[in-house]
Amino acid sequence: MSATNETTVNETTTGGAAENAAATHETHQPEVASAAPAVPEHKGQVVIDVRDLRKTFGKTEVLKGIDCQVHAGEVISIIGPSGAGKSTFLRCLNGLDTPTSGSVIVNGYDIADPKTDIDKVRTQIGMVFQHFNLFPNMTVAENIMLAPTLIKKVPADQARARALELLRTVGLEEKIDANPDSLSGGQKQRVAIARSLAMDPDIMLFDEATSALDPEMVGDVLQVIRDLANKGMTMLLVTHEMAFAREVSTRVIFTDAGIIEEEGTPAQIFGNPQSPRLRSFLSKVL
Amino acid sequence: MHIEKFNAAVMQRATRWRRALGMMLALVLCVAGLGTVGVSSAQAAQVSEVQGKTFKVATDTTFAPFEFRDSSGQMVGIDMDLLHAIAKDQGFNVQIQSLGFNAALQAMSSGQADGVIAGMTITDERKAIYDFSDSYFQSGVQMAIAKNNDAIKGYEDLKGKTVVAKTGAEGEMFAKKNAAKYGYTVKSVDQSATMYEMVKSGNADAVVDDYPVLAYGIQQGNGLKTVTPKVPGGDYGFAVNKGQNADLLKAFNAGLANLKKSGEYDKILAKYLGEDSSVKPATADSTAKKSFIDLAKDAFPALMTGLKNTMLITAISFVIALVLGIVLGLVRVSPNKPLSWVARVYVAVFRGTPILVWAFFFYFGIPQIIGHSINIWVAGALTLSLNAGAYLVEIVRGAIESVNHGQMEGARSLGLSYNQAMRKVILPQAVKIGTPAIINQLVIMLKDSSLLLAIGFGELLYQAQQIYAANFRVTETLLMVGVIYFVAITLLTWLANIVDRRMNKR
């Protein structure tokens, strides 16, 4: 009973966020209920607030003080050379990596605080990995239904109906009872995206989602991400697809050696890069 | 002067003693007189201390003709028949624990047994630790060599040779005492059958063993012969811990006296040694050698009992070990450092120590600490399960850690807790990875269960030992056991693989 309500509410939230995001670029929008500190901005409310984030692995400091605010509905591409700390930054946002110092506030939750119910926060943040991480011991449907049935106690038939719906949006409804091992890389990644969306997250993180794919598979996955962007999903993408970043992003962040070297609109970053390092980077990848 | 005074005192005391003795004698005669009228009532009064009680008596596994198993798996022999006859005469019950000579003494010291009857020679050293009954058998030792050995005609021919003897037995004492004189070296082993095999196979040149054992073995066709006369030796006695079970000892002596009087004692001895086997050295293999088929037929019931016990203790121990392995394996990989450390110590301790040490510890050591005996099944299951559990912890840990790291991250990023992710995502995959290694551990455990023979657990190899200790057909019996183990393990592996395929959809 309550589970049904919850699902409905969440779907409404997603729809609301979409409308909200579509509007934010032109007008002020009345804030939807949120625990995030209100920042006077012409965009949507701040959903991710990162202050002086540092992360050290052993003796290596990978993140050397990142400051970044993300507003609802933003699509942010994070670009930069290998080892710049792009993935680590993303993983600090949902607590897969624990910040060494600084603060990371997501949807009002302090990620670095051990008292935070990190499992609950993660239900609100979807994450898609380079290597998909589908569960090979389950079918496609079971992969997608696992979290909703286990955490939100959604009845199995409803969860399956939702799984079918999500698979339709990623173009894989006929694979609902397939084993993950029988899918191609591109299909696996689209299932992984559907699996994340099944929890109706407010934010989606993509960690090099197309890097492990054969070139002919990349297009399908990018299309799914593009559709999400068009629906107004708040997204952060670590990517090497520069053309895609330029097309889909509202903002591009260039990181190098653990700091944000430069950020701006795609037009600014790709059309008029300022720092020598960004220019050098772009000359290599474009 | 002094001596005279002393003598006077002694005389005085002696007189007093004589008077007391006289009175006691009169009393005894009186009782005896009454006894002729009502024997049963007098006997009942005499043995009331042990009447109806059950005593655990530990014995050797393999000391024919004193104790061994007949073809039906029953413990028989001079010691067994005497003990049962005495028990019947005195109205108490005995529960025989067939453990091996050293293990029997350990069992009694640790309170697992009330007495030991194991063809044990009464010596001064032993008298310091145990209380002995009256002698029930006058033994001696004798040397034997391989039947086809014509080089050794006496002790003088043993120079530079190896003589094998039984650990802690009279033969060993004799062999060691004369080792320097004749220039041979002594090697000690635990069982008569082993000693005879060593001589036959040339690993030793001669054996010194208790003459009744040797005579019985030669008559059974063990391939040996004697060339020197018997050396008369010590007396065999029934032992209890010093200062304990005095009633049992008293009843044993009384029963023994009754058996000797009634002639039953002689009958029992003749049954195993022949009418005059104590005199002439035995030579010929008088009994015809049994065929392998007949041997297998005779051995079958006992071996099946052994197989059943082997399977049962393995099954019980495996279930415990599996629970232990999974729980501690999970603890081992958990982020909880102190708990993980506990699991690590457990693994290190049980992987770093031999199974036998634990078998002895649980069966003989723990009772001395907690003050009461431990059931042999409990001791056996503890030994096997704690040992295998340590390996299973590592198998479970390895299986969990070999599941791709991304699986945990994928599950956690969806909002699953650590435990949910473990249960739903990691463990199902780990089980699939770990099952072949777990099946392997099961097979190892089944084979390791044979080590429990050391504490007298009646598993398959133990039964085999009992059989060849009585018939001296070591090779054939071990061949049978090998085949049984092989078939059992092959079937078990086959069954386990079917379960694996079904469960893990391979």
Side-chain angles (χ1 to χ4, degrees):
Chain A
M1 191 56 201
S2 66
T4 318
N5 285 343
E6 211 173 336
T7 318
T8 323
V9 168
N10 271 301
E11 282 181 24
T12 321
T13 313
T14 317
E19 289 160 32
N20 184 16
T24 42
H25 294 286
E26 299 95 7
T27 56
H28 288 269
Q29 191 70 17
E31 307 270 322
V32 188
S34 167
V39 176
E41 261 282 12
H42 63 283
K43 294 173 181 172
Q45 79 271 28
V46 172
V47 289
I48 297 175
D49 189 2
V50 179
R51 308 270 168 167
D52 195 28
L53 168 62
R54 289 168 189 273
K55 175 66 183 176
T56 309
F57 290 108
K59 284 180 180 156
T60 319
E61 192 172 35
V62 179
L63 299 181
K64 297 172 179 170
I66 302 271
D67 288 280
C68 176
Q69 283 76 45
V70 179
H71 303 264
E74 274 197 284
V75 177
I76 298 176
S77 290
I78 303 164
I79 62 170
S82 299
K86 305 185 296 288
S87 289
T88 306
F89 171 57
L90 215 56
R91 292 161 59 85
C92 281
L93 297 182
N94 73 346
L96 283 184
D97 282 337
T98 313
T100 306
S101 70
S103 84
V104 176
I105 311 288
V106 176
N107 275 358
Y109 294 98
D110 184 351
I111 300 295
D113 184 355
K115 287 195 285 287
T116 300
D117 183 357
I118 193 71
D119 296 334
K120 191 176 173 197
V121 184
R122 284 178 183 148
T123 62
Q124 302 166 10
I125 314 170
M127 187 163 193
V128 175
F129 300 86
Q130 182 179 355
H131 295 290
F132 333 126
N133 298 348
L134 292 184
F135 309 135
N137 55 318
M138 302 176 193
T139 64
V140 165
E142 286 164 347
N143 262 277
I144 299 172
M145 292 159 63
L146 176 68
T149 51
L150 195 62
I151 300 166
K152 291 188 175 171
K153 310 292 176 201
V154 177
D157 53 338
Q158 280 183 35
R160 190 178 163 89
R162 175 88 171 112
L164 188 65
E165 184 189 320
L166 286 165
L167 284 172
R168 201 173 291 138
T169 63
V170 299
L172 288 172
E173 54 186 308
E174 78 281 4
K175 297 289 185 188
I176 186 157
D177 290 316
N179 279 318
D181 288 342
S182 70
L183 303 180
S184 73
Q187 291 171 331
K188 282 181 186 166
Q189 195 59 295
R190 284 184 280 156
V191 171
I193 294 170
R195 184 175 73 178
S196 285
L197 292 174
M199 288 300 278
D200 299 311
D202 306 328
I203 302 163
M204 285 288 287
L205 309 176
F206 291 86
D207 189 3
E208 302 197 23
T210 57
S211 296
L213 300 180
D214 293 336
E216 71 269 25
M217 306 282 179
V218 172
D220 291 339
V221 174
L222 290 185
Q223 186 54 46
V224 171
I225 299 174
R226 186 181 290 117
D227 291 345
L228 277 173
N230 290 338
K231 283 182 195 161
M233 175 68 78
T234 309
M235 296 197 288
L236 284 91
L237 307 98
V238 169
T239 185
H240 294 293
E241 301 285 339
M242 293 306 150
F244 181 71
R246 186 170 195 164
E247 171 209 327
V248 80
S249 310
T250 57
R251 183 156 46 129
V252 177
I253 292 176
F254 171 66
T255 59
D256 190 15
I259 55 160
I260 294 179
E261 180 78 13
E262 192 168 338
E263 62 180 310
T265 63
Q268 286 168 339
I269 294 291
F270 294 105
N272 187 20
Q274 299 298 307
S275 81
R277 285 205 243 172
L278 175 55
R279 261 179 262 161
S280 152
F281 173 73
L282 289 176
S283 71
K284 283 178 204 150
V285 296
L286 287 178
Chain B
M1 186 51 190
H2 286 289
I3 295 166
E4 274 169 28
K5 220 190 243 170
F6 177 75
N7 277 347
V10 168
M11 286 294 280
Q12 241 178 358
R13 212 172 295 160
T15 328
R16 233 179 356 242
W17 270 111
R18 214 171 290 153
R19 213 178 300 150
L21 263 176
M23 275 166 69
M24 275 169 72
L25 196 67
L27 199 71
V28 169
L29 282 174
C30 230
V31 171
L34 280 172
T36 51
V37 186
V39 179
S40 57
S41 68
Q43 262 182 355
Q46 193 184 344
V47 299
S48 60
E49 324 273 9
V50 295
Q51 186 91 44
K53 281 190 189 164
T54 299
F55 293 96
K56 286 187 217 161
V57 179
T59 184
D60 204 340
T61 49
T62 54
F63 192 46
F66 289 92
E67 44 264 337
F68 60 99
R69 282 183 200 274
D70 65 11
S71 56
S72 64
Q74 205 66 27
M75 282 298 284
V76 294
I78 295 171
D79 283 350
M80 295 300 103
D81 290 12
L82 272 180
L83 185 62
H84 287 302
I86 289 168
K88 196 176 160 200
D89 182 74
Q90 296 291 306
F92 62 90
N93 301 311
V94 288
Q95 189 187 326
I96 300 295
Q97 295 182 333
S98 172
L99 302 177
F101 188 80
N102 289 327
L105 291 180
Q106 274 174 338
M108 184 165 70
S109 305
S110 62
Q112 299 269 43
D114 300 304
V116 168
I117 187 161
M120 179 162 48
T121 310
I122 304 169
T123 63
D124 287 341
E125 288 96 336
R126 286 180 181 151
K127 271 199 234 170
I129 321 168
Y130 312 115
D131 286 334
F132 279 97
S133 70
D134 298 338
S135 163
Y136 65 84
F137 186 82
Q138 223 262 322
S139 184
V141 296
Q142 196 165 16
M143 182 180 80
I145 55 173
K147 203 155 63 176
N148 56 7
N149 186 339
D150 297 324
I152 298 172
K153 297 195 164 55
Y155 299 124
E156 311 78 44
D157 301 322
L158 291 173
K159 197 167 173 59
K161 308 276 188 199
T162 303
V163 173
V164 67
K166 196 173 188 178
T167 313
E170 210 178 337
E172 189 191 38
M173 293 182 225
F174 175 82
K176 283 190 171 162
K177 199 174 67 193
N178 294 298
K181 184 171 158 194
Y182 296 112
Y184 57 82
T185 50
V186 179
K187 209 169 183 179
S188 300
V189 297
D190 254 354
Q191 291 182 24
S192 291
T194 317
M195 298 196 294
Y196 304 162
E197 288 302 304
M198 284 173 75
V199 173
K200 271 199 291 181
S201 64
N203 289 321
D205 302 288
V207 52
V208 181
D209 203 1
D210 297 278
Y211 97 86
V213 182
L214 207 50
Y216 178 79
I218 289 170
Q219 273 175 349
Q220 292 285 308
N222 67 0
L224 301 185
K225 67 178 177 185
T226 53
V227 287
T228 49
K230 166 195 167 190
V231 182
D235 292 306
Y236 285 179
F238 168 73
V240 294
N241 276 334
K242 196 150 196 71
Q244 294 173 13
N245 282 312
D247 298 336
L248 177 60
L249 208 57
K250 210 168 83 188
F252 186 94
N253 285 336
L256 182 63
N258 288 345
L259 294 188
K260 278 185 173 165
K261 220 186 297 169
S262 70
E264 199 178 343
Y265 173 86
D266 291 329
K267 249 187 265 170
I268 290 172
L269 252 59
K271 181 173 158 194
Y272 293 100
L273 298 174
E275 294 303 327
D276 56 352
S277 60
S278 57
V279 192
K280 71 163 194 236
T283 43
D285 42 351
S286 49
T287 46
K289 228 178 166 189
K290 271 186 182 171
S291 75
F292 183 76
I293 300 293
D294 286 338
L295 204 66
K297 265 186 207 156
D298 284 350
F300 189 75
L303 291 183
M304 285 304 113
T305 307
L307 180 63
K308 195 189 78 195
N309 289 342
T310 291
M311 292 303 221
L312 205 57
I313 193 90
T314 304
I316 294 168
S317 306
F318 188 67
V319 170
I320 301 170
L322 206 55
V323 172
L324 210 61
I326 290 171
V327 170
L328 287 180
L330 283 170
V331 162
R332 179 77 175 77
V333 296
S334 82
N336 186 326
K337 289 273 181 267
L339 270 181
S340 171
W341 193 80
V342 168
R344 191 190 287 241
V345 168
Y346 161 71
V347 170
V349 166
F350 279 89
R351 269 209 315 200
T353 43
I355 297 183
L356 265 182
V357 170
W358 290 104
F360 287 133
F361 177 73
F362 286 128
Y363 197 54
F364 301 125
I366 293 278
Q368 298 184 45
I369 296 166
I370 62 172
H372 60 84
S373 65
I374 280 189
N375 181 292
I376 195 158
W377 283 85
V378 174
L382 271 175
T383 304
L384 291 181
S385 58
L386 285 172
N387 176 269
Y391 289 93
L392 286 171
V393 167
E394 286 302 284
I395 289 171
V396 169
R397 179 179 76 98
I400 289 172
E401 285 180 350
S402 67
V403 173
N404 191 314
H405 195 60
Q407 293 289 308
M408 181 55 99
E409 292 194 339
R412 296 304 304 273
S413 75
L414 288 169
L416 271 70
S417 67
Y418 177 86
N419 288 341
Q420 287 172 328
M422 263 292 162
R423 204 173 68 234
K424 295 286 183 180
V425 177
I426 308 299
L427 280 184
Q429 297 181 56
V431 165
K432 190 170 178 172
I433 295 167
T435 305
I438 291 171
I439 292 172
N440 198 36
Q441 192 59 45
L442 172 64
V443 169
I444 291 172
M445 187 192 240
L446 194 143
K447 289 191 280 189
D448 280 351
S449 69
S450 63
L451 288 168
L452 294 181
L453 73 84
I455 57 169
F457 181 76
E459 50 73 53
L460 184 52
L461 191 57
Y462 171 92
Q463 303 287 357
Q465 249 185 20
Q466 302 279 308
I467 291 164
Y468 66 64
N471 66 16
F472 299 99
R473 304 280 287 269
V474 180
T475 313
E476 291 113 313
T477 312
L478 285 179
L479 182 69
M480 285 187 256
V481 167
V483 170
I484 294 174
Y485 269 118
F486 178 76
V487 170
I489 286 169
T490 306
L491 284 176
L492 188 71
T493 311
W494 176 71
L495 205 73
N497 284 334
I498 289 178
V499 172
D500 178 29
R501 270 199 298 275
R502 288 265 170 86
M503 194 173 66
N504 294 320
K505 296 180 191 137
R506 278 182 218 274

